[in-house]
Amino acid sequence: MSVNTIFNKAILSAAVLSASAFSANVFAANMFTTKATSSLNCVTINNDLAQIEKFKQAGTYRFAKGGVQRINFDFASNKSFQDYLAAARAHINAQNPKANMPCPIKTETSKRLYANKPLQVVDLIMPFELKADNEKAAVLLIHGLTDSPYLFHDLANSFVEQGISVRTLLLPGHGTSAEALVDIDQADWRQAASYAIKSMLNDFDNVYLGGFSTGGALVVDYLNHNTLNESELQKLKGVMLWSPASEAKAGMAWAAKYVSWFTNYLDEAADIDFAKYESFPANAGAQVHALMKRIEPKKLKGLRNIPFFVVASEVDQTINSEATVNILARWHAQNGAAQAQDKLVYYYANNVEDQLNALPNSLKTVTTFSCEGQVYCKHVLDIAHTSPTNAPSNPHYGWQGSYRNCEHLTGTKLFVSCKTANAVTLGELTEANLETTPNLQRLTFNPYYEQMLEQMQGFIESTLK
């Protein structure tokens, strides 16, 4: 999600908007020179703060081309995944105002998909399939709220190198403009996830299901509400979740439903991040809240003995990680015969001993890693909700990436500082962090990425036996 807390953002949005006249002067006076919109690409657009303010005020990238339309694909059908990919590309091209913007972002996944072809935004945000040589399994990856499949470019390449083929899903309402989430329903996400999961179980012999944030909630929801036959259960080797949406950190998140009756957006931003929306519709918060209510621990009755690998952060300010632990404990408790080595909880915490006490002893837990020998280590305070899936080398979200997540500071002088400072501090948007570092950049990469990959590889090797 793009908000620290849904309810607090609803209150603060008026203050942010009232500061817009002042912030426009701040942006106009900064060191950057306004460029013609036609000359911008997905990298240079991040460097022109005066233009960013104009995009925000005009809603240039907030609205769909020609008005919001649904993807021309029947998720209730048995159409091939290739048919779905073609429909998704056509949908993005038709609706996303940045779809054909040049985007010279090269990842190992984009190289596999497009070789040396000049890239546009559509190429990097659309769902994709990568076939591994000597394939031993396949994984489906489902992104989070306001995100796109670009979020999995780093992980996808790692999977393929291990002989794991990859498919990704673009959730309805995503990949075009934030406006598309104003009237979306979480049932639309569940239907799309159901299509993708069924497709995986039909097309591959060994299957893993993976999800980030909302994508994680969709995986858990599917397994809890759908009965898998014995053949499907044999094929399903494990579940991998990163910052899974379990319960909102904001205690008043339920209010998003009612806020959406009066306003379309909790945040109206410039939406210059090609890979996700920066504007945040109130309905989006309401729908993910409704989805999370479906997977409360007391409602988890259909989960089977499926191995899981979970990454969570103690200080996550979008999702309550304690609720995630409660879900995992309930899942584990329902399956007393489960092998502990098939349950890996990768939990980033500062006070490790206290956090260990909160987890069931039967869950094997990986909690501590050191960040050493890298220049970014001294700049990272802790692990944000937005961090786990991206490598430090990611050309967009990594340490030297083209994008800085500063949306929590929009409309203030600190926004400029966050976007332009040479010495940056990164972490989660906790009160303590913001008090000590007012221009904090929200962390968008995982400083322990390689160590996570090692654990993930061990999980796959143990569950494929």
Side-chain angles (χ1 to χ4, degrees):
M1 299 181 191
S2 62
V3 290
N4 183 14
T5 64
I6 292 172
F7 185 68
N8 287 345
K9 273 292 188 180
I11 297 174
L12 291 173
S13 59
V16 169
L17 290 173
S18 69
S20 61
F22 168 75
S23 63
N25 292 331
V26 172
F27 286 119
N30 76 66
M31 60 183 286
F32 294 89
T33 302
T34 303
K35 304 175 182 66
T37 303
S38 60
S39 69
L40 295 178
N41 64 38
C42 74
V43 174
T44 60
I45 195 173
N46 295 284
N47 301 328
D48 189 347
L49 299 192
Q51 191 73 17
I52 287 172
E53 179 66 9
K54 292 180 181 179
F55 292 148
K56 174 185 174 182
Q57 296 300 322
T60 306
Y61 300 122
R62 192 179 310 134
F63 304 109
K65 292 191 295 186
V68 174
Q69 301 290 329
R70 295 297 178 99
I71 185 174
N72 185 23
F73 186 81
D74 182 6
F75 287 108
S77 71
N78 293 319
K79 289 185 177 180
S80 73
F81 195 74
Q82 292 304 313
D83 288 340
Y84 163 67
L85 293 179
R89 175 177 279 274
H91 179 63
I92 295 169
N93 274 325
Q95 293 272 280
N96 189 322
K98 296 195 296 288
N100 303 123
M101 177 184 285
C103 197
I105 294 287
K106 292 287 187 179
T107 66
E108 294 305 313
T109 288
S110 71
K111 293 173 186 176
R112 290 179 184 273
L113 291 169
Y114 306 110
N116 294 318
K117 167 191 169 184
L119 299 179
Q120 298 178 329
V121 166
V122 62
D123 299 315
L124 290 165
I125 64 172
M126 70 170 286
F128 58 87
E129 180 175 41
L130 284 178
K131 299 290 287 184
D133 296 333
N134 301 314
E135 176 187 278
K136 56 186 179 182
V139 61
L140 172 69
L141 300 172
I142 305 177
H143 64 79
L145 188 62
T146 73
D147 292 316
S148 73
Y150 177 82
L151 192 74
F152 295 118
H153 269 227
D154 295 333
L155 283 175
N157 184 66
S158 299
F159 279 122
V160 171
E161 288 181 340
Q162 296 179 59
I164 313 292
S165 294
V166 177
R167 283 181 178 175
T168 62
L169 176 70
L170 179 68
L171 293 175
H174 293 77
T176 56
S177 68
E179 182 187 18
L181 290 176
V182 170
D183 292 315
I184 204 70
D185 191 283
Q186 49 94 15
D188 300 318
W189 302 336
R190 290 191 284 111
Q191 185 181 48
S194 177
Y195 161 79
I197 292 171
K198 290 177 180 178
S199 176
M200 292 291 293
L201 293 171
N202 284 332
D203 296 345
F204 300 97
D205 292 330
N206 296 307
V207 173
Y208 291 89
L209 303 178
F212 168 77
S213 194
T214 298
L218 288 166
V219 169
V220 174
D221 180 79
Y222 180 87
L223 296 176
N224 191 50
H225 288 92
N226 293 271
T227 302
L228 275 63
N229 60 41
E230 287 304 314
S231 174
E232 291 171 330
L233 283 170
Q234 287 295 319
K235 289 183 176 183
L236 184 54
K237 300 302 180 182
V239 167
M240 289 177 275
L241 310 174
W242 296 269
S243 302
S246 52
E247 178 182 284
K249 186 75 171 182
M252 296 293 289
W254 57 268
K257 173 182 177 181
Y258 305 102
V259 173
S260 69
W261 295 353
F262 304 99
T263 181
N264 283 340
Y265 296 93
L266 299 182
D267 274 320
E268 291 185 341
D271 293 298
I272 61 166
D273 183 351
F274 78 84
K276 71 172 293 167
Y277 306 150
E278 294 174 327
S279 295
F280 192 86
N283 178 63
Q287 296 306 315
V288 78
H289 178 69
L291 174 63
M292 290 188 292
K293 293 294 289 183
R294 289 173 56 91
I295 61 170
E296 292 176 329
K298 63 183 180 182
K299 297 178 181 177
L300 296 182
K301 302 183 184 301
L303 293 173
R304 302 290 291 272
N305 184 18
I306 303 168
F308 53 73
F309 176 92
V310 181
V311 178
S313 170
E314 172 193 19
V315 296
D316 191 319
Q317 292 299 291
T318 299
I319 296 299
N320 181 357
S321 290
E322 290 185 11
T324 298
V325 170
N326 290 337
I327 287 175
L328 300 178
R330 177 62 178 261
W331 186 343
H332 184 77
Q334 289 184 162
N335 299 287
Q339 297 297 310
Q341 63 264 30
D342 292 341
K343 306 290 186 283
L344 292 174
V345 183
Y346 185 55
Y347 199 71
Y348 298 114
N350 291 326
N351 194 337
V352 175
E353 189 170 342
D354 286 351
Q355 295 304 323
L356 278 172
N357 291 335
L359 294 168
N361 292 331
S362 54
L363 293 179
K364 184 177 180 182
T365 307
V366 181
T367 55
T368 58
F369 295 99
S370 59
C371 186
E372 298 175 351
Q374 301 294 335
V375 67
Y376 52 76
C377 294
K378 63 181 180 180
H379 294 273
V380 175
L381 298 177
D382 44 34
I383 307 301
H385 174 80
T386 46
S387 306
T389 64
N390 297 313
S393 60
N394 188 285
H396 184 58
Y397 288 132
W399 168 241
Q400 298 295 328
S402 58
Y403 179 77
R404 293 186 180 186
N405 188 327
C406 302
E407 284 309 300
H408 54 290
L409 298 172
T410 186
T412 71
K413 291 181 179 179
L414 292 172
F415 179 79
V416 176
S417 176
C418 177
K419 285 284 190 181
T420 63
N422 289 327
V424 297
T425 301
L426 308 96
E428 182 56 291
L429 305 182
T430 64
E431 290 185 11
N433 286 350
L434 290 171
E435 183 176 344
T436 58
T437 311
N439 66 339
L440 181 76
Q441 179 184 334
R442 196 178 195 190
L443 185 66
T444 51
F445 67 88
N446 187 344
Y448 312 124
Y449 183 80
E450 293 299 327
Q451 292 152 309
M452 182 188 74
L453 290 185
E454 291 178 10
Q455 296 296 328
M456 191 170 69
Q457 184 173 357
F459 172 77
I460 292 171
E461 290 174 352
S462 69
T463 52
L464 270 179
K465 292 180 179 179

